[in-house]
Amino acid sequence: MNKQKLASRIWESANKMRSKIEANEYKDYILGFIFYKYLSDNEVKKLKELGFTQEDIEGVVEEDAEIVKYVRENVGYFIAYKDLFSTWLQMGKDFDVANVTDALSAFNRLINPSHKKVYEGIFNTLQTGLSKLGDSSASRTKAISDLIHLIKDIPMDGRQDYDVIGFIYEYLISMFAANAGKKAGEFYTPHEVSILMSEIVADHLKDRKEIEIYDPTSGSGSLLINIGRSVAKHIDDERNIKYYAQELKQNTYNLTRMNLVMRGILPANILTRNGDTLEDDWPYFDENNQVETYNPLYVDAVVSNPPYSQHWEPTNKETDPRYARFGLAPKAKADFAFLLHDLFHIKPEGIMTIVLPHGVLFRGGEEGEIRKNLIEENHIDAIIGLPPNIFFGTNIPTIIMILKQKRENTDVLIIDASKGFIKAGKNNKLRASDIKKIVDIVAIRADIGKFSRKISRDEIRRNEYNLNIPRYVDSSEDVEKWDLYASMFGGIPVNEIARLNDYWSAFPGLKEVLFTNGGGPTRNLAVSNIELTVKEHPSVTAFILNYKNSFAHFDSYLKSKLIKKIEVLNISKEKAILSNYIFECLSSIPLIDKYEAYQILDDQWSNTSVDLEIIQTEGFNSVKKVNPNMVSKKKDGKEEEVQDGWIGHIIPFELVQQTLLLEQYEALKQIERRLDDISSEYYEILDSLSEEEKNSSLTNDSSDAFVAKEVGTTLKEIFSDVETQEIKVLKNYAKLSKKADKLAFIKANDDVVWSNMDVNKDGTYSKKSVNSYIVELQSSYEFPKDSFESKIVQVSNLLIEEKDIKVKIKADAAELHMKTKETIESLSDEQALELLKQKWISPLTESISQLPNYVINLLINKIQALSEKYAVTYSSVETEIQKTESSLSALINELNGNEYDMKGLGELVTLLKGE
């Protein structure tokens, strides 16, 4: 099971387990136990690396002071064998909640002094909250036992970048956030927003050898971790990244520490603090000599998503160095207090990104003064307007603000990214292409119509320091306008054709072929088949050829990067390398949106990177492995996991079948297609039945399917009524009892094909043979085409065929399934590599190759829409109305009636003429 499926399964089960406990609270229990499992398994792993045998590990007890000292020094903490997570699992029915409380107490007591800041009190929330898991010791024991068995399959293998536990931890945090309502914002920044901020920071710091990053409202720590990951793509040694985190709420503070530790970050690089960021700033000092070692914390990057518009206490903070230069935020809204705190802590060449409510851009009073000072001091670098409803628990419009201590520019880059998103459940979500575009624009500070614009300080001054995004960037959709002249007289307005100038520049000569070059403000469509004209035009075919040539080596490039270097390539950096190559290929190609191409890459890379992680962790032979396909099924009212066949560990079964087992695969698909055809034939017959026939017992209650048993009964009744000349003769024969009469009857009646029955020794035929033959004749009787009887015969035959086909499909599918398993397990290295190419490279190259077709079809649709928009003119409508009025008046004039009828008709004619 891959990490996505495992994470999803754990979430579904955990969500059911939590019963009435709030999601925001329950997360602390399951995440706490996952972290304890991590520490427990990590200790065992390190002890084995130090040469401990299983027997040695079983002898790890707290009473042995020497072993405690050795483990603490080498691992950073001590967990006795009896308290290991794996030991709890082995205890079975002997496991008790007391085992957990004792283990957590012992852990806190036995932390190595050098690691106390990282681990001390980290399980306090879990320890104090165990009582909420049940109202008795037995119920708490069961709840905990269920939890630890739920997470027991999470691998704790931290080799390379195969961070399954980190992925699952992040996934669970995000899912709990999605279900925690307004409390979600207390601990989680949506992953996509976090990645956006991370990539902006990473680009700014990409030339640094050592980096310190700080999140003063760290929540779960996910934002810090993503920043670290993005930065790590540009740094040689990840150990040169230091992480500083401060969080007010202790349970959330514990999440920060757990999350950082489980990502394999060295404890020496984790500096955390449980405190109020605004009230208790973070000077860096030696606890034993605070006065002489005082040193404010200055870092390369500060990132934060503070609570929005929180109350705070600004009294007596005028001299606080964080606020003294710019002013104090109002008591009711601490947004600018957090911003100024962050700005204070970045080094002169550093950067900060902060998520804030949209109101900080234009609110007046103290906030307006702070904003003015920040602008005049040249600290605001960029503002990014985010899509609505992107954060869990709030629909407040939000922005990301980027600030620096020192800037070469004096303008402010404003980006309206509010339109780039996809729906994801109740929330909106930034796509990878949206993030990439924003990051690129921030890096090059580009002006893009309806998206981004650099604003001079003078313009901001003229707007009285109001930074409200719509003042500077208009991203609203263009309102469709109608040309009056074209609406009256027809034709397509020249100015609307001109809106497609990007296409006319890319496809020279096409416009002249499509439209007549007449005078006046309009042009007429000159062709009857727009699609054919566009696709066959030389400039369009040249465009496609140019595109193909540009990507001519794409397949071989991907193979050289992904296949040939499969076990050594740097997974975290490879996506950026591939995207740069794609962008370079597109650099001379007009019209193609490079970010659409990037999205295609990202969609494919999400699967490819997982495969690469597995291969680099488990070795190349992992490609030749299959796993049990575990599914949930109900048994005795309980859900349990059972095996349902096999799935490829990396290579999908269907891919193997479509390449190495194609003949058998196609044969099965052909049978399956016949099954689909049968369903279609059922529906056709159903549609042809009358309402009375549909409402009979032949069909189900909704009259959309036949009932097999009733079809059989009806068919017997239909056949029993069939009577041909041969059947009549046979029925008369069946009434005879004497041999002589039978022989004479046989001789006298040649209407019957007597040879179709088994004859007795005396030349007669038994009653059984005769009746069987009668049934055979009735069953083979051909009813008139489209008669009710013929339809029921057809349905009966289809039911029989369908049953036989289903049996065959089941048998053939099972045979193909096992053959696929055997094929994967016996793959040669060459076959395995070819299958990886088919899985990773072919879909990507195929999707990229379709981009020109998308552009061309979009142009065709635009031209078609223009043609249809002005196809019917006001003038033609008016003419048609006049013709209709004249025709109606003529018809009225031919009518006769009494005096009053004629008077009424006369008045109607007058109205039609408009007199």
Side-chain angles (χ1 to χ4, degrees):
M1 187 181 299
N2 65 31
K3 61 186 180 183
Q4 287 96 338
K5 287 184 179 178
L6 182 57
S8 178
R9 192 194 75 183
I10 291 173
W11 159 251
E12 288 171 8
S13 300
N15 202 33
K16 290 176 185 174
M17 281 183 193
R18 73 180 173 90
S19 186
K20 296 179 181 178
I21 302 175
E22 291 289 334
N24 186 44
E25 196 171 11
Y26 192 73
K27 77 176 188 308
D28 295 322
Y29 309 138
I30 187 166
L31 297 177
F33 277 115
I34 289 175
F35 183 63
Y36 189 85
K37 172 176 167 38
Y38 169 82
L39 294 178
S40 181
D41 292 358
N42 184 57
E43 178 179 293
V44 171
K45 178 185 171 185
K46 289 195 174 180
L47 291 178
K48 286 181 177 179
E49 289 172 354
L50 292 167
F52 278 59
T53 65
Q54 181 59 34
E55 186 178 350
D56 294 335
I57 292 171
E58 291 175 11
V60 173
V61 294
E62 187 178 342
E63 290 73 22
D64 188 335
E66 188 176 336
I67 195 72
V68 171
K69 181 175 182 293
Y70 182 83
V71 173
R72 286 170 72 187
E73 288 177 350
N74 284 278
V75 182
Y77 52 86
F78 175 87
I79 300 176
Y81 174 75
K82 71 179 180 65
D83 293 332
L84 290 173
F85 188 92
S86 54
T87 306
W88 290 350
L89 293 172
Q90 293 167 14
M91 292 175 72
K93 293 182 179 178
D94 293 331
F95 174 77
D96 187 83
V97 62
N99 297 114
V100 177
T101 54
D102 291 347
L104 296 180
S105 296
F107 176 85
N108 211 42
R109 189 173 64 248
L110 298 168
I111 300 166
N112 193 36
S114 64
H115 289 61
K116 270 196 174 292
K117 284 189 177 180
V118 176
Y119 293 122
E120 190 169 31
I122 203 164
F123 290 113
N124 284 357
T125 308
L126 175 60
Q127 200 166 359
T128 57
L130 290 177
S131 60
K132 296 181 182 179
L133 292 176
D135 52 13
S136 66
S137 177
S139 61
R140 287 192 289 275
T141 297
K142 183 182 183 309
I144 295 169
S145 180
D146 288 344
L147 260 180
I148 64 175
H149 278 84
L150 173 63
I151 63 175
K152 67 182 174 64
D153 293 328
I154 300 177
M156 303 294 180
D157 193 336
R159 287 178 295 168
Q160 309 233 10
D161 194 30
Y162 192 48
D163 57 337
V164 178
I165 185 169
F167 176 88
I168 291 172
Y169 205 79
E170 176 81 15
Y171 179 87
L172 292 176
I173 288 173
S174 69
M175 293 305 291
F176 278 120
N179 284 264
K182 291 183 179 180
K183 294 181 179 179
E186 295 176 1
F187 62 88
Y188 189 68
T189 302
H191 181 71
E192 290 71 29
V193 176
S194 178
I195 293 297
L196 172 57
M197 298 169 76
S198 302
E199 291 296 316
I200 291 170
V201 169
D203 183 75
H204 181 77
L205 302 178
K206 60 188 174 187
D207 299 321
R208 312 288 171 91
K209 300 296 182 185
E210 295 181 352
I211 296 169
E212 294 177 307
I213 52 179
Y214 169 41
D215 186 346
T217 54
S218 61
S220 66
S222 299
L223 181 53
L224 259 184
I225 288 164
N226 284 320
I227 298 277
R229 278 185 161 181
S230 293
V231 167
K233 290 185 289 188
H234 305 287
I235 198 169
D236 294 331
D237 191 347
E238 293 182 32
R239 292 174 298 181
N240 290 338
I241 305 173
K242 276 195 173 182
Y243 299 80
Y244 295 83
Q246 180 157 315
E247 172 57 43
L248 175 61
K249 296 191 175 182
Q250 187 180 24
N251 62 332
T252 312
Y253 166 69
N254 292 337
L255 285 184
T256 292
R257 292 189 289 168
M258 291 179 189
N259 211 355
L260 290 168
V261 168
M262 283 193 294
R263 300 308 174 109
I265 299 168
L266 296 175
N269 285 350
I270 300 173
L271 296 98
T272 61
R273 191 167 182 232
N274 182 200
D276 187 326
T277 293
L278 299 182
E279 292 298 321
D280 190 14
D281 191 18
W282 195 350
Y284 190 58
F285 51 70
D286 185 333
E287 295 283 356
N288 299 317
N289 187 8
Q290 295 184 13
V291 176
E292 292 183 11
T293 60
Y294 176 87
N295 185 23
L297 176 66
Y298 297 116
V299 295
D300 299 289
V302 180
V303 292
S304 64
N305 177 21
Y308 306 145
S309 301
Q310 178 177 279
H311 280 66
W312 79 303
E313 185 48 69
T315 307
N316 299 324
K317 290 192 173 63
E318 295 85 355
T319 59
D320 189 312
R322 294 175 292 175
Y323 316 120
R325 288 176 57 208
F326 305 99
L328 293 174
K331 186 173 185 177
K333 293 180 174 65
D335 303 312
F336 271 109
F338 282 110
L339 182 150
L340 294 176
H341 167 89
D342 294 3
L343 181 63
F344 176 78
H345 285 284
I346 59 175
K347 296 174 183 177
E349 304 299 328
I351 186 174
M352 65 161 280
T353 61
I354 183 172
V355 180
L356 294 167
H358 192 247
V360 299
L361 299 178
F362 51 80
R363 292 193 299 241
E366 298 99 322
E367 291 186 308
E369 190 62 27
I370 295 171
R371 194 167 55 247
K372 174 184 175 181
N373 292 334
L374 287 168
I375 292 165
E376 292 297 342
E377 293 292 331
N378 201 32
H379 290 301
I380 300 179
D381 190 65
I383 295 164
I384 303 165
L386 295 173
N389 204 29
I390 201 168
F391 285 86
F392 295 116
T394 180
N395 55 7
I396 296 171
T398 51
I399 62 158
I400 293 173
M401 194 178 289
I402 304 165
L403 295 94
K404 297 174 182 176
Q405 287 286 14
K406 288 172 60 179
R407 294 200 317 135
E408 294 179 3
N409 307 299
T410 59
D411 52 35
V412 176
L413 176 67
I414 294 184
I415 298 175
D416 187 344
S418 61
K419 303 294 190 296
F421 62 86
I422 55 170
K423 291 293 293 181
K426 297 177 182 177
N427 288 78
N428 296 326
K429 179 179 173 182
L430 290 166
R431 297 166 297 180
S433 54
D434 300 320
I435 294 170
K436 176 66 173 169
K437 183 177 180 180
I438 296 166
V439 172
D440 287 351
I441 297 304
V442 169
I444 63 176
R445 302 185 71 78
D447 289 340
I448 306 291
K450 291 188 171 294
F451 188 73
S452 64
R453 183 172 160 237
K454 296 186 292 293
I455 314 301
S456 69
R457 197 181 302 175
D458 285 340
E459 184 175 352
I460 295 172
R461 286 169 180 152
R462 288 196 298 272
N463 281 299
E464 297 178 334
Y465 302 95
N466 185 323
L467 293 174
N468 197 9
I469 293 172
R471 278 181 178 253
Y472 305 99
V473 179
D474 178 13
S475 65
S476 59
E477 297 289 336
D478 289 331
V479 178
E480 185 176 15
K481 297 178 181 178
W482 289 75
D483 184 273
L484 181 58
Y485 182 89
S487 298
M488 293 296 296
F489 303 108
I492 300 172
V494 171
N495 63 341
E496 294 196 32
I497 295 173
R499 290 177 191 164
L500 303 177
N501 275 343
D502 287 346
Y503 292 98
W504 310 139
S505 297
F507 305 135
L510 179 60
K511 180 176 69 171
E512 288 72 23
V513 172
L514 287 168
F515 305 101
T516 58
N517 192 18
T522 62
R523 298 287 182 268
N524 292 319
L525 193 64
V527 298
S528 57
N529 191 324
I530 297 171
E531 182 178 0
L532 189 65
T533 303
V534 170
K535 289 186 175 180
E536 292 187 351
H537 194 271
S539 64
V540 175
T541 55
F543 170 77
I544 294 173
L545 181 61
N546 185 28
Y547 184 88
K548 286 181 178 178
N549 290 337
S550 186
F551 280 92
H553 304 293
F554 189 43
D555 188 276
S556 57
Y557 176 81
L558 290 173
K559 192 172 180 180
S560 69
K561 299 296 290 182
L562 301 180
I563 303 297
K564 292 183 179 178
K565 299 179 180 178
I566 192 168
E567 295 184 81
V568 296
L569 65 82
N570 188 317
I571 300 170
S572 65
K573 296 181 180 180
E574 194 63 33
K575 181 181 166 187
I577 293 170
L578 296 180
S579 69
N580 288 339
Y581 181 88
I582 291 172
F583 284 9
E584 187 179 332
C585 290
L586 290 171
S587 60
S588 62
I589 308 293
L591 300 177
I592 304 290
D593 184 349
K594 65 181 182 180
Y595 296 107
E596 290 293 332
Y598 183 84
Q599 187 64 54
I600 292 171
L601 170 64
D602 182 80
D603 292 342
Q604 179 61 33
W605 186 252
S606 60
N607 295 319
T608 302
S609 60
V610 172
D611 292 346
L612 284 166
E613 288 172 1
I614 295 172
I615 291 168
Q616 291 190 357
T617 300
E618 300 175 10
F620 185 71
N621 279 336
S622 59
V623 180
K624 306 173 187 179
K625 290 181 180 178
V626 295
N627 300 327
N629 181 35
M630 305 306 293
V631 297
S632 295
K633 287 189 178 178
K634 274 196 173 182
K635 188 176 180 182
D636 301 327
K638 290 184 177 180
E639 289 251 349
E640 62 177 36
E641 283 216 325
V642 296
Q643 183 176 348
D644 181 18
W646 304 86
I647 55 173
H649 190 45
I650 290 177
I651 304 296
F653 268 40
E654 191 166 18
L655 178 57
V656 176
Q657 292 163 2
Q658 290 174 343
T659 50
L660 302 179
L661 301 170
L662 185 59
E663 187 177 338
Q664 200 170 340
Y665 174 80
E666 281 296 340
L668 178 60
K669 288 299 170 187
Q670 187 172 351
I671 301 171
E672 290 174 345
R673 285 193 289 271
R674 176 55 195 150
L675 199 59
D676 292 336
D677 292 341
I678 289 173
S679 295
S680 299
E681 290 176 34
Y682 280 143
Y683 291 129
E684 286 177 13
I685 296 169
L686 269 169
D687 284 343
S688 70
L689 296 179
S690 67
E691 288 303 315
E692 184 180 349
E693 289 165 342
K694 282 184 184 177
N695 292 328
S696 67
S697 58
L698 281 170
T699 60
N700 60 8
D701 293 340
S702 55
S703 299
D704 59 3
F706 288 102
V707 179
K709 184 178 179 182
E710 294 299 331
V711 169
T713 302
T714 304
L715 193 63
K716 284 181 181 178
E717 293 172 358
I718 289 172
F719 284 145
S720 66
D721 293 336
V722 171
E723 193 155 281
T724 63
Q725 180 59 30
E726 190 175 10
I727 292 171
K728 284 180 183 178
V729 173
L730 285 167
K731 285 182 176 180
N732 289 331
Y733 174 85
K735 294 175 183 177
L736 301 174
S737 57
K738 294 179 180 180
K739 175 184 175 183
D741 293 340
K742 289 181 177 181
L743 290 172
F745 189 91
I746 293 168
K747 189 174 182 181
N749 289 276
D750 57 3
D751 291 331
V752 175
V753 183
W754 299 99
S755 59
N756 284 340
M757 295 180 288
D758 293 330
V759 64
N760 294 329
K761 289 181 180 179
D762 62 0
T764 63
Y765 297 91
S766 68
K767 194 169 186 177
K768 182 180 179 182
S769 293
V770 171
N771 286 335
S772 295
Y773 187 37
I774 290 172
V775 171
E776 185 182 333
L777 289 171
Q778 289 175 327
S779 300
S780 61
Y781 180 78
E782 288 191 17
F783 294 97
K785 189 181 179 182
D786 295 331
S787 66
F788 173 75
E789 291 80 4
S790 71
K791 292 173 184 177
I792 299 305
V793 171
Q794 189 181 351
V795 171
S796 177
N797 292 336
L798 289 172
L799 286 167
I800 294 167
E801 185 184 2
E802 182 181 48
K803 185 177 179 181
D804 292 341
I805 286 177
K806 284 181 177 178
V807 171
K808 182 166 178 55
I809 286 174
K810 186 176 180 181
D812 289 359
E815 182 184 341
L816 178 59
H817 187 80
M818 293 310 297
K819 182 69 175 175
T820 308
K821 175 181 180 291
E822 294 165 9
T823 302
I824 291 176
E825 291 173 329
S826 59
L827 287 171
S828 67
D829 287 354
E830 292 75 16
Q831 287 175 319
L833 289 170
E834 179 58 31
L835 286 168
L836 288 174
K837 178 179 178 294
Q838 292 290 328
K839 184 182 180 185
W840 297 344
I841 297 175
S842 297
L844 178 56
T845 54
E846 174 60 26
S847 297
I848 291 288
S849 72
Q850 293 303 312
L851 287 174
N853 294 331
Y854 171 78
V855 168
I856 293 164
N857 288 329
L858 187 60
L859 172 61
I860 290 168
N861 292 337
K862 287 176 180 289
I863 297 169
Q864 190 67 48
L866 277 178
S867 173
E868 293 171 359
K869 182 177 179 181
Y870 295 104
V872 179
T873 66
Y874 177 80
S875 177
S876 63
V877 171
E878 182 66 21
T879 301
E880 190 62 33
I881 291 171
Q882 289 174 0
K883 286 181 180 178
T884 304
E885 288 175 349
S886 298
S887 299
L888 186 56
S889 296
L891 289 172
I892 292 171
N893 289 333
E894 294 175 6
L895 296 175
N896 292 313
N898 60 37
E899 176 188 354
Y900 298 106
D901 289 336
M902 297 309 292
K903 190 174 181 180
L905 289 171
E907 184 63 25
L908 179 56
V909 169
T910 301
L911 289 172
L912 288 171
K913 291 179 178 179
E915 296 174 359

